[in-house]
């Protein structure tokens, strides 16, 4: 089970209104902020573990540049001591993190951190957390999220998980299993045994539940899976082909494209309580890859209804199927559009000039930007703060997961033991 982590403010955590340290994430190019992260003081290995995870999270975001510990002048005497700010300013540490972790009498761990603005000479934030040993990594991710939010003004995304398709074995006999991991690649757990092909797992926006496709008995079926209990429920057994089911923002519906007897692929929404299905498009074109806007009022999808063999473009319509209109007009073939959780952008895959590209555009189709280009890459999924994308790239024999931020400058491969595809990012854990 996902354990509840208790938290509370550390005395003196209020941030001064005139604190100097901040990162404007809305700028086109963001210079990483030099930050000093001291070792969390402890009597065992927990302090080093939490320090390492917090440092890795912040560095991987591309917005922070952790300073090498060999440059530190002051040795922090205790988590409650006020630092000697001049010692940190001389090494250009614009922000400083101190902390400690220890064991309570009841066996729980108690971790606390303080975030300091070294040039203003003030504490910006401070909190403490209580959790069991199994949630040490979560505590570290939550601390990293708090630091990220305090300095950028945006929610963090480190205390999240990613569900994906783990692929192992020879290319012509690939075993595909549902798997879940922390967003940094740790704590991998398998959710299926690989006896049936699984595709397109997608997270519920408000529960630790996923929907996915499985080809059990050779027929496409859509399932709901409770991640923590393993309870599985059949949504529907659809003849022909089913494509990429996704949840509505309230988690009460799934939307998908179905190939019917007339040979056309159209978009349908299914109410998960009543199992009633509503047809949203009715055309002779191939309509597929639907994704709801975060307020549930609109749906983005791809269609070749504009003409041109196989040259699908991106369309937006009302959630009831009304007013479908084209928003992409670029060269190439568009696919897998997905609405940002912030509501401001739509991510997509695009095939153009012999390359696969991951890009974003505004919801009216303007401002198209390509963030990554490469051989056979697709399937973008958003971090819950709408600032980072993850996708998969097939190279050197099989697919791997890759993340990139909205600047397109901070691209990183996510470590997985095997090949991995079809990632889907969870909401922030509770």
């Amino acid at each position: 089970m996902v354990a509840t982590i208790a938290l509370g403010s550390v005395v003196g955590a209020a941030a001064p209104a005139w604190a100097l340290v901040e990162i404007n994430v809305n700028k086109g190019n963001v210079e990483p902020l030099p930050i000093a992260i001291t070792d969390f003081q402890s009597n065992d290995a927990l302090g080093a573990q939490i320090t390492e995870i917090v440092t890795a999270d912040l560095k991987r975001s591309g917005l922070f540049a952790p300073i090498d510990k060999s440059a530190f002048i002051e040795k922090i005497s205790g988590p409650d001591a006020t630092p000697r700010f001049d010692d940190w300013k001389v090494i250009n540490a614009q922000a400083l993190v101190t902390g400690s972790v220890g064991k309570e009498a009841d066996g729980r761990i108690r971790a606390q951190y303080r975030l300091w603005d070294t040039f203003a000479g003030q504490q910006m934030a401070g909190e403490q957390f209580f959790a069991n040993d199994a949630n040490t990594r979560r505590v570290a991710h939550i601390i990293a999220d708090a630091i990220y939010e305090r300095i950028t003004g945006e929610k963090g995304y480190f205390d999240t998980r990613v569900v994906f398709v783990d692929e192992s074995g020879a290319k012509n006999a690939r075993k595909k299993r549902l798997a879940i991991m922390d967003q940094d690649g740790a704590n991998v757990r398998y959710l299926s045994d690989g006896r049936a092909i699984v595709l397109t797992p997608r997270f519920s926006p408000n529960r630790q539940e996923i929907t996915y496709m499985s080809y059990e008995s050779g027929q496409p079926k859509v399932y709901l899976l409770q991640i923590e209990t393993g309870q599985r429920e059949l949504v529907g057994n659809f003849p022909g082909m089913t494509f990429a089911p996704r949840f509505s923002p309230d988690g009460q519906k799934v939307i998908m494209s179905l190939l019917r007897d007339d040979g056309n692929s159209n978009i349908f929404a299914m109410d998960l309580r009543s199992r009633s299905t509503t047809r949203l498009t009715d055309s002779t074109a191939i309509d597929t890859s639907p994704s709801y806007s975060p307020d549930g009022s609109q749906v983005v999808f791809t269609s070749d209804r504009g003409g041109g063999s196989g040259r699908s473009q991106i369309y937006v319509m009302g959630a009831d199927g009304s007013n479908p209109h084209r928003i992409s007009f670029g060269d190439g073939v568009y696919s897998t559009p997905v609405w940002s959780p912030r509501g401001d952008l739509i991510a997509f895959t695009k095939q153009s000039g012999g390359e696969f590209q991951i890009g974003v555009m505004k919801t009216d189709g303007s401002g198209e930007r390509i963030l990554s280009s490469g051989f056979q890459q697709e399937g973008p999924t958003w971090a819950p703060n709408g600032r980072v994308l993850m996708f998969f790239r097939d190279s050197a024999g099989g697919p791997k997961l890759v993340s990139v931020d909205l600047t397109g400058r901070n691209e990183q491969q996510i470590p997985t033991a095997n090949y991995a595809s079809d990632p889907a990012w969870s909401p922030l854990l509770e």
Side-chain angles (χ1 to χ4, degrees), residues 257-278:
S257 56
L258 302 180
L259 187 66
R260 291 297 175 92
D261 293 338
D262 58 10
N264 298 324
S265 173
N266 279 281
I267 295 173
F268 294 77
M270 173 179 279
D271 187 295
L272 292 175
R273 292 165 296 186
S274 67
R275 292 297 195 268
S276 62
T277 301
T278 302

Side-chain angles (χ1 to χ4, degrees), residues 58-231:
L58 295 177
K59 181 178 181 180
R60 198 170 52 254
S61 75
L63 299 179
F64 298 86
I67 295 171
D68 192 303
K69 291 184 176 65
S70 65
F72 294 179
I73 299 171
E74 180 187 13
K75 181 175 176 60
I76 297 296
S77 60
D80 299 323
T82 299
R84 296 196 306 265
F85 294 112
D86 286 344
D87 288 351
W88 299 100
K89 286 189 284 187
V90 77
I91 63 171
N92 195 35
Q94 296 182 37
L96 169 67
V97 178
T98 62
S100 65
V101 57
K103 285 289 185 70
E104 296 291 286
D106 60 5
R108 293 181 302 162
I109 64 169
R110 175 182 180 269
Q112 70 174 44
Y113 81 95
R114 293 178 188 265
L115 174 64
W116 306 87
D117 182 333
T118 58
F119 285 84
Q122 294 285 341
Q123 180 176 313
M124 299 176 67
E127 291 174 290
Q128 61 183 4
F129 306 90
F130 297 88
N132 58 38
D133 285 343
N135 284 283
T136 301
R137 292 190 64 87
R138 280 205 61 199
V139 169
H141 291 318
I142 290 170
I143 290 173
D145 278 335
I147 295 167
Y148 181 102
E149 182 175 0
R150 180 61 189 87
I151 294 179
T152 69
E154 302 276 350
K155 284 285 189 184
Y157 58 92
F158 306 119
D159 187 31
T160 57
R161 299 190 288 184
V162 174
V163 65
F164 64 101
V165 176
D166 176 273
E167 302 188 18
S168 59
K171 192 170 185 177
N172 60 352
R174 200 58 62 80
K175 182 178 183 180
K176 295 188 176 185
R177 294 181 288 178
L178 278 182
I180 191 169
M181 64 182 180
D182 296 350
Q183 52 79 27
D184 57 359
N187 292 334
V188 175
R189 179 160 60 95
Y190 295 103
L191 305 176
S192 71
D193 58 16
R195 287 183 292 180
I197 293 175
V198 291
L199 296 171
T200 60
R202 300 287 183 258
F203 258 101
S204 168
N206 53 13
R207 291 187 299 274
Q208 293 300 308
E209 177 182 55
I210 61 171
T211 178
Y212 68 97
M213 288 174 52
S214 175
Y215 279 79
E216 297 180 21
S217 304
Q219 292 294 321
K221 299 179 180 180
V222 176
Y223 288 96
L224 292 178
L225 177 67
Q226 299 289 338
I227 293 172
E228 304 308 329
T229 66
Q231 181 179 350

